[in-house]
Amino acid sequence: MDRKKAEERIAKLRTEIRHHDYLYYVKDAPEVSDEQYDKLYRELVALEEEHPDLVSSDSPTQRVAGAPVDSFPTIEHAAPMLSLESDQSEASLRRFDERLRKGLGADFPVEYVLEPKLDGLSVELVYRDGVLVQASTRGDGRKGEGITENVRTIANVPLRLREKDHQVPPFLAVRGEVIMHSEDFEKLNETLLAEGKEPFANPRNASAGAVRQLDPRITASRPLYLYAYDILASEGVEVETQWDVLQSLRAWGLTVNERSQKGKTVDDILAFHGGLEAERDDLDYEIDGIVIKLNDLDARETLGWTSRHPRWAFAFKFPPRKEITRILSIVSSVGRSGVVTPVAMMLPVEIGGVTVARATLHNREEVARKDVREGDRVRVQRAGDVIPQVIERIEEPDRERGPEWRMPERCPSCGTKLVERGPFTLCPNGFECPAQLAGRIVHLASRDALDIEGLGDESAKLFVAEGLVRQLPDLFEIQPEQLMKLEGFAQKSANKLVAALEKASHAELPRFLHGLGIPEVGVAVARDLSRHFGTFERLRNADEAALQEVPGVGPRMAEAITTFFRDPKSAKILDELLAKMHLQETEPSTQAPGSVQPLSGQKWVFTGGLTALSRRDAQALVERLGARATGSVSKATDVVVVGEDAGSKAEDAKKLGVKTMDEAEFLAFLKGNGIEV
């Protein structure tokens, strides 16, 4: 076939194949058999191989995965991908509806679009002149990871938008959810198990893991699917409602969930929610609730957004799923702080698409209160659809029960004799206990502490188990060649972690203090102690009376801090750790005689979302003025700053007669004290 005829035939084949993709994925009404479709596709491949100069990026053949990449680029979204206000209580739903109607006025004809809340990975797709040019993960909502090559491998994502029924805009940014259908997920896990590999816990993890593969060929081998549900930004698109958005997406060839519908009242919402919850187990994909969106797009602009979520949308979650299973054994797990927690190991049971085989029993008194024993039949739920917990024991009158469970006398990790403090059981071996050491490494590496990228739970346990880290200071002596001997580390990842450790050794004092895991010392207290004492040596040598001079530090906290620093084993570890650190310290805060900071001695609490600045920045500003930002409201609280969608803290302030400020009043207060935001 000569070039001109080949070009004509290629164009025709691409049009036909895109048409059949649209009928199959969007309309669910295929007109040809799989064999006929494959025949068209093979013909197109052959012609493109014969005429490679005619291959275009939007050809149906170009879903073929490209070469692996070293890392994902960071991409800024066309518009913020905000999260949604969410709750599972009907009362919260009604409050959302009331606020929305109040904001729009009594005469406004409110109409909602109700959609299933898909449990997958949120992504942005960008099309220019109808061609897919970019895809990225949600990330922090403003920037995400560029996963364009991976998304191109998803069969129902159009590489070129369909123009037949709807004009294609020059620019279009679409938000969607990448999922894996239940049947495909089960087949994938069967394959992984047959290959001796670890199966995925649930379809969402499988989807997220597949999309974020550095090798697109792995993504291409996974059965992913995308549902589109929003236009983030566009040029030349004229739509007035969310319903129009869904119809436009569908017309362009994107798959839209078929269960979306309209509703006008809370009763309509409850009926949709209840109906979908009843069908939840029969659906071929995971959902964890419904999403309610105001249909009128202009009215959305009137209501606006908070810093975290739109005021015109709400995620109405399903209650936690509960299942019945049997406890096989109860084991003792040692945490970072030395607290020993009883954990129920159970017959695996699937709860909300996740296989659960273990659940916390909290402490020995909780085990006694619920009277659960090895061999008992129990009801289990995922709290917030995440953390498994045993709710209750189910009576079995004719079954002989096992003996009552007792906490071991010695630590299961290091063999040290355990001690009891209230309802809790602790291992007093601190830094010497392997389980506590692994937990301390994770805490030291956490975001609010030294923020060591690439050092998580699995790596910490591996370092301790392999003897690479026998004491906390050993962490800062790790070399790349040592890491490369461990499973999961290559030269690049080893070098990257060692560089992160070197960077973390130059730490600010408050972060270091928080990372030590001193009992009672969280982020705010670590900041207060650093500001008051200035240097680590002054702090570690302070007695209880000196510690109690710090606002917010009472007798119990002072005792916990001095006990930590006076312990000989802790002191030795700290000396060795300090020798490897380069702490950024300051002189303790001083004021001119008679001068007092405007908020000296005051306690401030922030609740709800602020639009002009983040809560953390707001807390830092009042601390600059001498106040202490705390997390709970009490009679000792001086001011509560109430942002958007404030929770119970606002109610607590009202009950206790504590002064409150809205965001405008807070900003005016800052300005009056010389701080412009």
mmCIF file of all heavy atoms in Angstrom, residues 466-510:
data_model
loop_
_atom_site.group_PDB
_atom_site.id
_atom_site.type_symbol
_atom_site.label_atom_id
_atom_site.label_comp_id
_atom_site.label_asym_id
_atom_site.label_seq_id
_atom_site.Cartn_x
_atom_site.Cartn_y
_atom_site.Cartn_z
ATOM 1 N N GLU A 466 18.731 -6.679 61.304
ATOM 2 C CA GLU A 466 20.004 -7.041 60.677
ATOM 3 C C GLU A 466 21.214 -6.557 61.477
ATOM 4 O O GLU A 466 22.356 -6.782 61.073
ATOM 5 C CB GLU A 466 20.065 -6.457 59.257
ATOM 6 C CG GLU A 466 19.038 -7.034 58.300
ATOM 7 C CD GLU A 466 19.276 -8.507 58.001
ATOM 8 O OE1 GLU A 466 20.452 -8.933 57.998
ATOM 9 O OE2 GLU A 466 18.287 -9.240 57.784
ATOM 10 N N GLY A 467 20.967 -5.876 62.602
ATOM 11 C CA GLY A 467 22.064 -5.410 63.441
ATOM 12 C C GLY A 467 22.772 -4.190 62.909
ATOM 13 O O GLY A 467 23.831 -3.797 63.417
ATOM 14 N N LEU A 468 22.188 -3.557 61.890
ATOM 15 C CA LEU A 468 22.797 -2.350 61.330
ATOM 16 C C LEU A 468 22.681 -1.188 62.309
ATOM 17 O O LEU A 468 23.575 -0.335 62.401
ATOM 18 C CB LEU A 468 22.116 -2.002 60.006
ATOM 19 C CG LEU A 468 22.735 -0.896 59.155
ATOM 20 C CD1 LEU A 468 24.164 -1.269 58.767
ATOM 21 C CD2 LEU A 468 21.902 -0.649 57.908
ATOM 22 N N VAL A 469 21.570 -1.141 63.046
ATOM 23 C CA VAL A 469 21.369 -0.126 64.085
ATOM 24 C C VAL A 469 21.112 -0.846 65.401
ATOM 25 O O VAL A 469 20.062 -1.454 65.593
ATOM 26 C CB VAL A 469 20.182 0.810 63.745
ATOM 27 C CG1 VAL A 469 19.959 1.810 64.871
ATOM 28 C CG2 VAL A 469 20.417 1.540 62.439
ATOM 29 N N ARG A 470 22.106 -0.814 66.289
ATOM 30 C CA ARG A 470 21.953 -1.446 67.617
ATOM 31 C C ARG A 470 21.584 -0.415 68.676
ATOM 32 O O ARG A 470 21.019 -0.745 69.707
ATOM 33 C CB ARG A 470 23.250 -2.160 68.008
ATOM 34 C CG ARG A 470 23.627 -3.290 67.047
ATOM 35 C CD ARG A 470 24.905 -3.986 67.469
ATOM 36 N NE ARG A 470 25.330 -4.972 66.493
ATOM 37 C CZ ARG A 470 24.862 -6.214 66.410
ATOM 38 N NH1 ARG A 470 23.958 -6.624 67.288
ATOM 39 N NH2 ARG A 470 25.297 -7.037 65.490
ATOM 40 N N GLN A 471 21.942 0.824 68.410
ATOM 41 C CA GLN A 471 21.575 1.949 69.260
ATOM 42 C C GLN A 471 21.216 3.110 68.334
ATOM 43 O O GLN A 471 21.700 3.174 67.196
ATOM 44 C CB GLN A 471 22.728 2.358 70.188
ATOM 45 C CG GLN A 471 23.160 1.303 71.180
ATOM 46 C CD GLN A 471 22.142 1.103 72.293
ATOM 47 O OE1 GLN A 471 21.136 1.800 72.333
ATOM 48 N NE2 GLN A 471 22.398 0.161 73.192
ATOM 49 N N LEU A 472 20.412 4.039 68.813
ATOM 50 C CA LEU A 472 19.938 5.132 67.971
ATOM 51 C C LEU A 472 21.069 5.906 67.280
ATOM 52 O O LEU A 472 20.943 6.255 66.105
ATOM 53 C CB LEU A 472 19.070 6.077 68.818
ATOM 54 C CG LEU A 472 18.043 6.924 68.055
ATOM 55 C CD1 LEU A 472 17.116 6.044 67.225
ATOM 56 C CD2 LEU A 472 17.224 7.767 69.033
ATOM 57 N N PRO A 473 22.203 6.161 67.952
ATOM 58 C CA PRO A 473 23.285 6.908 67.277
ATOM 59 C C PRO A 473 23.834 6.183 66.045
ATOM 60 O O PRO A 473 24.376 6.828 65.143
ATOM 61 C CB PRO A 473 24.356 7.034 68.365
ATOM 62 C CG PRO A 473 23.602 6.925 69.658
ATOM 63 C CD PRO A 473 22.502 5.948 69.386
ATOM 64 N N ASP A 474 23.705 4.844 66.002
ATOM 65 C CA ASP A 474 24.221 4.092 64.847
ATOM 66 C C ASP A 474 23.549 4.525 63.547
ATOM 67 O O ASP A 474 24.110 4.345 62.465
ATOM 68 C CB ASP A 474 23.979 2.580 65.040
ATOM 69 C CG ASP A 474 24.730 2.013 66.229
ATOM 70 O OD1 ASP A 474 25.674 2.680 66.702
ATOM 71 O OD2 ASP A 474 24.371 0.915 66.692
ATOM 72 N N LEU A 475 22.378 5.091 63.668
ATOM 73 C CA LEU A 475 21.620 5.503 62.488
ATOM 74 C C LEU A 475 22.427 6.473 61.632
ATOM 75 O O LEU A 475 22.373 6.435 60.398
ATOM 76 C CB LEU A 475 20.305 6.157 62.946
ATOM 77 C CG LEU A 475 19.237 6.451 61.892
ATOM 78 C CD1 LEU A 475 18.739 5.158 61.269
ATOM 79 C CD2 LEU A 475 18.072 7.200 62.532
ATOM 80 N N PHE A 476 23.203 7.332 62.288
ATOM 81 C CA PHE A 476 23.932 8.378 61.574
ATOM 82 C C PHE A 476 25.342 7.936 61.148
ATOM 83 O O PHE A 476 26.148 8.763 60.709
ATOM 84 C CB PHE A 476 23.993 9.643 62.432
ATOM 85 C CG PHE A 476 22.637 10.249 62.659
ATOM 86 C CD1 PHE A 476 21.906 9.938 63.797
ATOM 87 C CD2 PHE A 476 22.063 11.078 61.713
ATOM 88 C CE1 PHE A 476 20.630 10.465 64.004
ATOM 89 C CE2 PHE A 476 20.797 11.615 61.902
ATOM 90 C CZ PHE A 476 20.080 11.292 63.048
ATOM 91 N N GLU A 477 25.610 6.637 61.285
ATOM 92 C CA GLU A 477 26.878 6.078 60.804
ATOM 93 C C GLU A 477 26.666 5.162 59.605
ATOM 94 O O GLU A 477 27.607 4.597 59.068
ATOM 95 C CB GLU A 477 27.571 5.302 61.930
ATOM 96 C CG GLU A 477 28.031 6.189 63.082
ATOM 97 C CD GLU A 477 28.789 5.404 64.138
ATOM 98 O OE1 GLU A 477 28.758 4.154 64.075
ATOM 99 O OE2 GLU A 477 29.389 6.031 65.018
ATOM 100 N N ILE A 478 25.419 4.994 59.192
ATOM 101 C CA ILE A 478 25.105 4.086 58.083
ATOM 102 C C ILE A 478 25.754 4.578 56.794
ATOM 103 O O ILE A 478 25.707 5.772 56.471
ATOM 104 C CB ILE A 478 23.575 3.976 57.894
ATOM 105 C CG1 ILE A 478 22.944 3.280 59.103
ATOM 106 C CG2 ILE A 478 23.238 3.211 56.623
ATOM 107 C CD1 ILE A 478 21.428 3.213 59.045
ATOM 108 N N GLN A 479 26.352 3.646 56.056
ATOM 109 C CA GLN A 479 26.980 3.953 54.783
ATOM 110 C C GLN A 479 26.214 3.287 53.638
ATOM 111 O O GLN A 479 25.562 2.256 53.840
ATOM 112 C CB GLN A 479 28.439 3.468 54.779
ATOM 113 C CG GLN A 479 29.319 4.137 55.823
ATOM 114 C CD GLN A 479 29.373 5.640 55.650
ATOM 115 O OE1 GLN A 479 29.580 6.136 54.533
ATOM 116 N NE2 GLN A 479 29.198 6.375 56.746
ATOM 117 N N PRO A 480 26.275 3.854 52.429
ATOM 118 C CA PRO A 480 25.520 3.290 51.305
ATOM 119 C C PRO A 480 25.807 1.817 51.054
ATOM 120 O O PRO A 480 24.899 1.033 50.754
ATOM 121 C CB PRO A 480 25.967 4.157 50.117
ATOM 122 C CG PRO A 480 26.375 5.456 50.726
ATOM 123 C CD PRO A 480 26.979 5.097 52.047
ATOM 124 N N GLU A 481 27.104 1.410 51.160
ATOM 125 C CA GLU A 481 27.444 0.009 50.875
ATOM 126 C C GLU A 481 26.797 -0.955 51.867
ATOM 127 O O GLU A 481 26.494 -2.108 51.526
ATOM 128 C CB GLU A 481 28.962 -0.187 50.863
ATOM 129 C CG GLU A 481 29.695 0.307 52.100
ATOM 130 C CD GLU A 481 30.146 1.768 51.977
ATOM 131 O OE1 GLU A 481 29.552 2.500 51.160
ATOM 132 O OE2 GLU A 481 31.065 2.150 52.712
ATOM 133 N N GLN A 482 26.536 -0.486 53.102
ATOM 134 C CA GLN A 482 25.832 -1.333 54.073
ATOM 135 C C GLN A 482 24.372 -1.512 53.676
ATOM 136 O O GLN A 482 23.814 -2.607 53.783
ATOM 137 C CB GLN A 482 25.912 -0.708 55.470
ATOM 138 C CG GLN A 482 27.302 -0.653 56.060
ATOM 139 C CD GLN A 482 27.317 0.095 57.390
ATOM 140 O OE1 GLN A 482 27.044 1.298 57.436
ATOM 141 N NE2 GLN A 482 27.626 -0.619 58.466
ATOM 142 N N LEU A 483 23.757 -0.428 53.223
ATOM 143 C CA LEU A 483 22.347 -0.492 52.821
ATOM 144 C C LEU A 483 22.157 -1.370 51.594
ATOM 145 O O LEU A 483 21.163 -2.087 51.475
ATOM 146 C CB LEU A 483 21.821 0.918 52.533
ATOM 147 C CG LEU A 483 21.670 1.857 53.730
ATOM 148 C CD1 LEU A 483 21.274 3.249 53.265
ATOM 149 C CD2 LEU A 483 20.626 1.314 54.698
ATOM 150 N N MET A 484 23.107 -1.330 50.671
ATOM 151 C CA MET A 484 22.962 -2.083 49.424
ATOM 152 C C MET A 484 22.980 -3.590 49.640
ATOM 153 O O MET A 484 22.589 -4.351 48.752
ATOM 154 C CB MET A 484 24.058 -1.657 48.443
ATOM 155 C CG MET A 484 23.854 -0.234 47.901
ATOM 156 S SD MET A 484 25.279 0.396 46.984
ATOM 157 C CE MET A 484 25.337 -0.781 45.635
ATOM 158 N N LYS A 485 23.414 -4.028 50.811
ATOM 159 C CA LYS A 485 23.380 -5.463 51.139
ATOM 160 C C LYS A 485 21.998 -5.901 51.616
ATOM 161 O O LYS A 485 21.724 -7.096 51.738
ATOM 162 C CB LYS A 485 24.407 -5.774 52.232
ATOM 163 C CG LYS A 485 25.849 -5.540 51.812
ATOM 164 C CD LYS A 485 26.797 -5.789 52.972
ATOM 165 C CE LYS A 485 28.239 -5.486 52.591
ATOM 166 N NZ LYS A 485 29.169 -5.679 53.745
ATOM 167 N N LEU A 486 21.128 -4.916 51.905
ATOM 168 C CA LEU A 486 19.804 -5.218 52.439
ATOM 169 C C LEU A 486 18.773 -5.281 51.327
ATOM 170 O O LEU A 486 18.881 -4.603 50.307
ATOM 171 C CB LEU A 486 19.389 -4.144 53.456
ATOM 172 C CG LEU A 486 20.328 -3.922 54.642
ATOM 173 C CD1 LEU A 486 19.771 -2.816 55.534
ATOM 174 C CD2 LEU A 486 20.500 -5.204 55.451
ATOM 175 N N GLU A 487 17.752 -6.088 51.552
ATOM 176 C CA GLU A 487 16.687 -6.232 50.573
ATOM 177 C C GLU A 487 15.947 -4.894 50.385
ATOM 178 O O GLU A 487 15.606 -4.220 51.348
ATOM 179 C CB GLU A 487 15.690 -7.299 51.041
ATOM 180 C CG GLU A 487 14.595 -7.592 50.042
ATOM 181 C CD GLU A 487 13.646 -8.679 50.515
ATOM 182 O OE1 GLU A 487 13.941 -9.325 51.542
ATOM 183 O OE2 GLU A 487 12.616 -8.874 49.858
ATOM 184 N N GLY A 488 15.714 -4.549 49.132
ATOM 185 C CA GLY A 488 14.944 -3.334 48.837
ATOM 186 C C GLY A 488 15.794 -2.104 48.595
ATOM 187 O O GLY A 488 15.258 -1.029 48.289
ATOM 188 N N PHE A 489 17.123 -2.227 48.733
ATOM 189 C CA PHE A 489 17.989 -1.062 48.528
ATOM 190 C C PHE A 489 18.907 -1.281 47.328
ATOM 191 O O PHE A 489 19.591 -2.302 47.222
ATOM 192 C CB PHE A 489 18.844 -0.779 49.770
ATOM 193 C CG PHE A 489 18.100 -0.081 50.873
ATOM 194 C CD1 PHE A 489 17.488 -0.807 51.878
ATOM 195 C CD2 PHE A 489 17.981 1.305 50.887
ATOM 196 C CE1 PHE A 489 16.783 -0.177 52.889
ATOM 197 C CE2 PHE A 489 17.282 1.946 51.893
ATOM 198 C CZ PHE A 489 16.674 1.208 52.897
ATOM 199 N N ALA A 490 18.905 -0.302 46.419
ATOM 200 C CA ALA A 490 19.858 -0.255 45.314
ATOM 201 C C ALA A 490 20.772 0.941 45.567
ATOM 202 O O ALA A 490 20.605 1.668 46.559
ATOM 203 C CB ALA A 490 19.125 -0.111 43.990
ATOM 204 N N GLN A 491 21.728 1.160 44.683
ATOM 205 C CA GLN A 491 22.705 2.226 44.927
ATOM 206 C C GLN A 491 22.049 3.597 45.056
ATOM 207 O O GLN A 491 22.379 4.375 45.955
ATOM 208 C CB GLN A 491 23.748 2.250 43.811
ATOM 209 C CG GLN A 491 24.855 3.289 44.071
ATOM 210 C CD GLN A 491 26.048 3.115 43.157
ATOM 211 O OE1 GLN A 491 26.095 2.184 42.379
ATOM 212 N NE2 GLN A 491 27.012 4.008 43.256
ATOM 213 N N LYS A 492 21.093 3.874 44.171
ATOM 214 C CA LYS A 492 20.469 5.200 44.193
ATOM 215 C C LYS A 492 19.680 5.422 45.484
ATOM 216 O O LYS A 492 19.805 6.471 46.125
ATOM 217 C CB LYS A 492 19.551 5.354 42.983
ATOM 218 C CG LYS A 492 18.941 6.743 42.879
ATOM 219 C CD LYS A 492 18.191 6.934 41.584
ATOM 220 C CE LYS A 492 17.637 8.354 41.487
ATOM 221 N NZ LYS A 492 16.934 8.608 40.223
ATOM 222 N N SER A 493 18.861 4.447 45.874
ATOM 223 C CA SER A 493 18.056 4.601 47.097
ATOM 224 C C SER A 493 18.939 4.640 48.333
ATOM 225 O O SER A 493 18.648 5.344 49.307
ATOM 226 C CB SER A 493 17.026 3.475 47.200
ATOM 227 O OG SER A 493 17.643 2.209 47.161
ATOM 228 N N ALA A 494 20.053 3.873 48.314
ATOM 229 C CA ALA A 494 20.980 3.879 49.450
ATOM 230 C C ALA A 494 21.644 5.244 49.593
ATOM 231 O O ALA A 494 21.728 5.811 50.694
ATOM 232 C CB ALA A 494 22.029 2.788 49.269
ATOM 233 N N ASN A 495 22.124 5.783 48.470
ATOM 234 C CA ASN A 495 22.767 7.113 48.511
ATOM 235 C C ASN A 495 21.779 8.185 48.955
ATOM 236 O O ASN A 495 22.127 9.105 49.706
ATOM 237 C CB ASN A 495 23.313 7.473 47.135
ATOM 238 C CG ASN A 495 24.545 6.664 46.770
ATOM 239 O OD1 ASN A 495 25.245 6.163 47.648
ATOM 240 N ND2 ASN A 495 24.806 6.520 45.482
ATOM 241 N N LYS A 496 20.546 8.063 48.496
ATOM 242 C CA LYS A 496 19.524 9.053 48.822
ATOM 243 C C LYS A 496 19.219 9.060 50.321
ATOM 244 O O LYS A 496 19.087 10.115 50.946
ATOM 245 C CB LYS A 496 18.253 8.757 48.025
ATOM 246 C CG LYS A 496 17.200 9.846 48.100
ATOM 247 C CD LYS A 496 16.039 9.536 47.171
ATOM 248 C CE LYS A 496 14.990 10.640 47.223
ATOM 249 N NZ LYS A 496 13.839 10.353 46.327
ATOM 250 N N LEU A 497 19.117 7.858 50.917
ATOM 251 C CA LEU A 497 18.819 7.789 52.354
ATOM 252 C C LEU A 497 19.993 8.304 53.180
ATOM 253 O O LEU A 497 19.797 9.034 54.167
ATOM 254 C CB LEU A 497 18.473 6.356 52.761
ATOM 255 C CG LEU A 497 18.164 6.147 54.250
ATOM 256 C CD1 LEU A 497 17.057 7.101 54.716
ATOM 257 C CD2 LEU A 497 17.768 4.702 54.526
ATOM 258 N N VAL A 498 21.209 7.953 52.807
ATOM 259 C CA VAL A 498 22.378 8.438 53.551
ATOM 260 C C VAL A 498 22.463 9.965 53.469
ATOM 261 O O VAL A 498 22.781 10.639 54.460
ATOM 262 C CB VAL A 498 23.668 7.778 53.020
ATOM 263 C CG1 VAL A 498 24.907 8.449 53.620
ATOM 264 C CG2 VAL A 498 23.676 6.289 53.361
ATOM 265 N N ALA A 499 22.138 10.522 52.305
ATOM 266 C CA ALA A 499 22.128 11.989 52.167
ATOM 267 C C ALA A 499 21.051 12.606 53.050
ATOM 268 O O ALA A 499 21.260 13.673 53.653
ATOM 269 C CB ALA A 499 21.901 12.364 50.701
ATOM 270 N N ALA A 500 19.911 11.947 53.137
ATOM 271 C CA ALA A 500 18.823 12.448 53.985
ATOM 272 C C ALA A 500 19.218 12.405 55.459
ATOM 273 O O ALA A 500 18.870 13.301 56.240
ATOM 274 C CB ALA A 500 17.560 11.623 53.751
ATOM 275 N N LEU A 501 19.962 11.372 55.849
ATOM 276 C CA LEU A 501 20.431 11.262 57.235
ATOM 277 C C LEU A 501 21.434 12.370 57.559
ATOM 278 O O LEU A 501 21.409 12.955 58.641
ATOM 279 C CB LEU A 501 21.065 9.883 57.468
ATOM 280 C CG LEU A 501 20.084 8.711 57.545
ATOM 281 C CD1 LEU A 501 20.818 7.388 57.421
ATOM 282 C CD2 LEU A 501 19.303 8.757 58.854
ATOM 283 N N GLU A 502 22.317 12.651 56.609
ATOM 284 C CA GLU A 502 23.293 13.724 56.806
ATOM 285 C C GLU A 502 22.584 15.068 56.971
ATOM 286 O O GLU A 502 22.921 15.863 57.851
ATOM 287 C CB GLU A 502 24.254 13.759 55.612
ATOM 288 C CG GLU A 502 25.116 15.011 55.522
ATOM 289 C CD GLU A 502 25.996 15.238 56.741
ATOM 290 O OE1 GLU A 502 26.321 14.255 57.448
ATOM 291 O OE2 GLU A 502 26.347 16.406 57.008
ATOM 292 N N LYS A 503 21.589 15.310 56.130
ATOM 293 C CA LYS A 503 20.817 16.551 56.223
ATOM 294 C C LYS A 503 20.092 16.633 57.572
ATOM 295 O O LYS A 503 20.041 17.692 58.201
ATOM 296 C CB LYS A 503 19.806 16.616 55.079
ATOM 297 C CG LYS A 503 18.953 17.865 55.085
ATOM 298 C CD LYS A 503 17.937 17.837 53.939
ATOM 299 C CE LYS A 503 17.033 19.059 53.976
ATOM 300 N NZ LYS A 503 15.996 18.991 52.900
ATOM 301 N N ALA A 504 19.539 15.501 58.023
ATOM 302 C CA ALA A 504 18.777 15.475 59.281
ATOM 303 C C ALA A 504 19.658 15.692 60.502
ATOM 304 O O ALA A 504 19.177 16.116 61.556
ATOM 305 C CB ALA A 504 18.036 14.147 59.408
ATOM 306 N N SER A 505 20.964 15.427 60.371
ATOM 307 C CA SER A 505 21.863 15.609 61.526
ATOM 308 C C SER A 505 22.067 17.085 61.857
ATOM 309 O O SER A 505 22.545 17.418 62.936
ATOM 310 C CB SER A 505 23.212 14.935 61.248
ATOM 311 O OG SER A 505 23.916 15.611 60.224
ATOM 312 N N HIS A 506 21.695 17.977 60.928
ATOM 313 C CA HIS A 506 21.743 19.429 61.178
ATOM 314 C C HIS A 506 20.320 19.874 61.518
ATOM 315 O O HIS A 506 19.631 20.476 60.693
ATOM 316 C CB HIS A 506 22.273 20.162 59.952
ATOM 317 C CG HIS A 506 23.672 19.775 59.597
ATOM 318 N ND1 HIS A 506 24.769 20.526 59.946
ATOM 319 C CD2 HIS A 506 24.164 18.688 58.933
ATOM 320 C CE1 HIS A 506 25.867 19.934 59.511
ATOM 321 N NE2 HIS A 506 25.526 18.815 58.897
ATOM 322 N N ALA A 507 19.889 19.580 62.723
ATOM 323 C CA ALA A 507 18.479 19.750 63.082
ATOM 324 C C ALA A 507 18.257 20.921 64.022
ATOM 325 O O ALA A 507 19.134 21.285 64.812
ATOM 326 C CB ALA A 507 17.951 18.477 63.744
ATOM 327 N N GLU A 508 17.063 21.490 63.923
ATOM 328 C CA GLU A 508 16.647 22.506 64.883
ATOM 329 C C GLU A 508 16.329 21.817 66.210
ATOM 330 O O GLU A 508 15.818 20.682 66.227
ATOM 331 C CB GLU A 508 15.411 23.239 64.374
ATOM 332 C CG GLU A 508 15.639 23.999 63.074
ATOM 333 C CD GLU A 508 14.341 24.517 62.489
ATOM 334 O OE1 GLU A 508 13.273 24.141 63.012
ATOM 335 O OE2 GLU A 508 14.399 25.284 61.511
ATOM 336 N N LEU A 509 16.600 22.488 67.298
ATOM 337 C CA LEU A 509 16.413 21.901 68.620
ATOM 338 C C LEU A 509 14.982 21.407 68.865
ATOM 339 O O LEU A 509 14.799 20.289 69.365
ATOM 340 C CB LEU A 509 16.831 22.902 69.699
ATOM 341 C CG LEU A 509 16.675 22.425 71.151
ATOM 342 C CD1 LEU A 509 17.456 21.142 71.402
ATOM 343 C CD2 LEU A 509 17.104 23.526 72.122
ATOM 344 N N PRO A 510 13.925 22.179 68.520
ATOM 345 C CA PRO A 510 12.570 21.680 68.779
ATOM 346 C C PRO A 510 12.267 20.360 68.054
ATOM 347 O O PRO A 510 11.634 19.464 68.625
ATOM 348 C CB PRO A 510 11.666 22.806 68.255
ATOM 349 C CG PRO A 510 12.515 24.022 68.251
ATOM 350 C CD PRO A 510 13.895 23.548 67.954
#
